[in-house]
Amino acid sequence: MAYVDQHKEEFGVEPICTVLTDADAKIAPSTYYAAKTRPPSPRAVTDAALDERIVALFEDNYRVYGVRKMWKALNRQQLLDEHGAPTGDTYPAVARCTVARRMRALGLRGATAGDHKKPRTTIPATDHRPEDALNRDFSAAAPNTRWVADITYVPTWVGFVYVAFVLDLFSRRIVGWRVSASLRTDLALDALEQGIWARQHEGHDLAGLIHHSDRGVQYLAIRYTERLEELGIIASVGSKGDSYDTQSIMGSWMAGPELDPSYDWRSQLTA
């Protein structure tokens, strides 16, 4: 029908229908005219009225509403009297799937904070790796005997930032941390250096300390491993695909909203 509407002024309805029929897209002129004069279906009428409400709410709310918020807003919306004042009565309830269908048809999509493509925090190294010295035992008998290091990501309004942590398993204290917009070796190394400085500044000897991490290249880089060897720190790397390797440090990340990976920091500058 849309094709005929688009070209009928130039070619006429009957010639277009003839060409379409010859091309196995059969449509008779009488069928076209009947469809154009037929009153809209109840669903089409309902959809048209709903579309007006959706577009108005979408614009009134700065074009940020997605399906869920739009659905709730529509079901809260009150009918207006002839003067535009709320009557206290709400519109008939609308299903969420209907809202999704109409927003999709209208090309409307809610705003999202930052880039929601999940970043990768662990890029496996391919060379020799140290053994797993912890074997899922995340306890420690004294401070500065076992550290766990890992990297997570935090969503912001302008994209993701990466956060590297070093955690003392005895005190559960984060002894070193750094934030960066890129997943670079220096990110993990800077967090380690902060932890080393903090403990040495307090007069602690780190020789014999076990440093445990995942199999990421940041922790198996030459500069990183050489720094551990320089201080007599024993490197430990978890087994492949072991979700327990970082369970202890993840608990510390969730300790407060400013360290919560799901917390929506407004910008990388804030982070």
Side-chain angles (χ1 to χ4, degrees), residues 1-17 32-33 36:
M1 295 297 176
Y3 181 84
V4 178
D5 289 340
Q6 184 178 355
H7 298 284
K8 67 180 181 180
E9 296 297 332
E10 182 178 359
F11 300 106
V13 173
E14 287 78 5
I16 293 175
C17 290
Y32 171 80
Y33 289 121
K36 299 303 291 184

XYZ file of all heavy atoms in Angstrom, residues 1-17 32-33 36:
171
model
N 0.820 -1.203 0.000
C 0.000 0.000 0.000
C 0.864 1.267 0.000
O 0.572 2.228 -0.706
C -0.920 -0.007 1.233
C -1.940 -1.128 1.233
S -3.083 -1.003 -0.149
C -4.029 -2.495 0.072
N 1.914 1.244 0.796
C 2.770 2.423 0.878
C 3.441 2.706 -0.464
O 3.607 3.873 -0.853
C 3.816 2.230 1.972
N 3.800 1.640 -1.179
C 4.447 1.823 -2.484
C 3.482 2.477 -3.472
O 3.861 3.386 -4.219
C 4.918 0.473 -3.016
C 5.626 0.559 -4.349
C 6.974 0.873 -4.410
C 4.935 0.339 -5.539
C 7.630 0.966 -5.632
C 5.576 0.432 -6.763
C 6.929 0.745 -6.803
O 7.569 0.848 -8.017
N 2.243 2.020 -3.453
C 1.236 2.602 -4.346
C 0.993 4.059 -3.979
O 0.902 4.930 -4.856
C -0.074 1.794 -4.291
C -1.138 2.436 -5.189
C 0.168 0.349 -4.706
N 0.888 4.336 -2.686
C 0.681 5.718 -2.240
C 1.817 6.622 -2.706
O 1.596 7.778 -3.090
C 0.587 5.768 -0.709
C -0.712 5.168 -0.194
O -1.666 5.070 -0.983
O -0.759 4.793 0.996
N 3.023 6.089 -2.687
C 4.195 6.899 -3.020
C 4.259 7.249 -4.507
O 4.734 8.330 -4.874
C 5.458 6.141 -2.595
C 6.751 6.922 -2.804
C 7.964 6.142 -2.324
O 7.839 5.059 -1.752
N 9.140 6.706 -2.561
N 3.766 6.352 -5.359
C 3.960 6.542 -6.803
C 2.664 6.754 -7.593
O 2.719 6.911 -8.815
C 4.698 5.327 -7.383
C 6.061 5.121 -6.803
N 7.154 5.883 -7.153
C 6.512 4.231 -5.869
C 8.221 5.477 -6.484
N 7.859 4.473 -5.693
N 1.521 6.764 -6.926
C 0.264 6.832 -7.676
C 0.077 8.158 -8.403
O -0.562 8.205 -9.466
C -0.920 6.567 -6.738
C -1.149 7.639 -5.684
C -2.347 7.288 -4.811
C -2.611 8.368 -3.766
N -3.777 8.029 -2.916
N 0.615 9.245 -7.874
C 0.465 10.530 -8.542
C 1.219 10.561 -9.868
O 0.813 11.236 -10.814
C 0.966 11.658 -7.627
C 0.175 11.827 -6.346
C -1.273 12.218 -6.623
O -1.528 12.855 -7.674
O -2.147 11.877 -5.802
N 2.300 9.802 -9.938
C 3.115 9.800 -11.151
C 2.631 8.778 -12.177
O 2.610 9.061 -13.387
C 4.571 9.514 -10.782
C 5.530 9.545 -11.969
C 6.971 9.312 -11.550
O 7.213 9.150 -10.325
O 7.852 9.296 -12.436
N 2.232 7.584 -11.697
C 1.900 6.507 -12.634
C 0.422 6.116 -12.621
O -0.047 5.481 -13.568
C 2.735 5.257 -12.313
C 4.217 5.488 -12.408
C 4.994 5.580 -11.265
C 4.839 5.624 -13.640
C 6.365 5.792 -11.344
C 6.205 5.834 -13.732
C 6.970 5.929 -12.587
N -0.299 6.442 -11.551
C -1.682 6.013 -11.437
C -1.790 4.672 -10.728
O -0.869 3.845 -10.772
N -2.916 4.435 -10.081
C -3.089 3.225 -9.277
C -3.156 1.980 -10.154
O -2.485 0.973 -9.890
C -4.362 3.339 -8.409
C -4.641 2.013 -7.694
C -4.222 4.465 -7.402
N -3.976 2.007 -11.220
C -4.165 0.811 -12.039
C -2.867 0.333 -12.695
O -2.550 -0.869 -12.631
C -5.241 1.055 -13.103
C -6.659 1.111 -12.566
C -6.974 2.457 -11.908
O -6.110 3.371 -11.960
O -8.063 2.586 -11.328
N -2.072 1.210 -13.332
C -0.814 0.731 -13.922
C 0.141 0.140 -12.886
O 0.825 -0.853 -13.154
C -0.228 1.987 -14.573
C -1.406 2.841 -14.860
C -2.344 2.612 -13.712
N 0.188 0.744 -11.716
C 1.074 0.213 -10.673
C 0.613 -1.174 -10.254
O 1.428 -2.102 -10.106
C 1.111 1.167 -9.458
C 1.781 2.488 -9.835
C 1.853 0.517 -8.288
C 1.748 3.525 -8.741
N -0.685 -1.352 -10.067
C -1.209 -2.660 -9.668
C -0.931 -3.707 -10.743
O -0.651 -4.875 -10.439
C -2.711 -2.566 -9.393
S -3.115 -1.620 -7.904
N -6.918 -2.122 -3.304
C -6.252 -0.915 -2.812
C -7.275 0.111 -2.344
O -7.162 0.660 -1.238
C -5.371 -0.325 -3.911
C -4.824 1.040 -3.563
C -3.722 1.175 -2.726
C -5.428 2.198 -4.067
C -3.230 2.428 -2.394
C -4.936 3.449 -3.740
C -3.840 3.558 -2.901
O -3.361 4.808 -2.566
N -8.290 0.368 -3.167
C -9.284 1.378 -2.803
C -10.084 0.955 -1.572
O -10.437 1.793 -0.727
C -10.214 1.639 -3.984
C -9.551 2.379 -5.123
C -9.482 1.822 -6.398
C -8.992 3.637 -4.920
C -8.867 2.496 -7.447
C -8.372 4.323 -5.967
C -8.314 3.740 -7.222
O -7.702 4.418 -8.245
N -7.999 1.629 1.464
C -7.862 3.049 1.772
C -9.130 3.637 2.369
O -9.075 4.632 3.096
C -7.473 3.824 0.513
C -6.148 3.399 -0.106
C -4.986 3.517 0.871
C -4.666 4.966 1.191
N -3.467 5.086 2.072
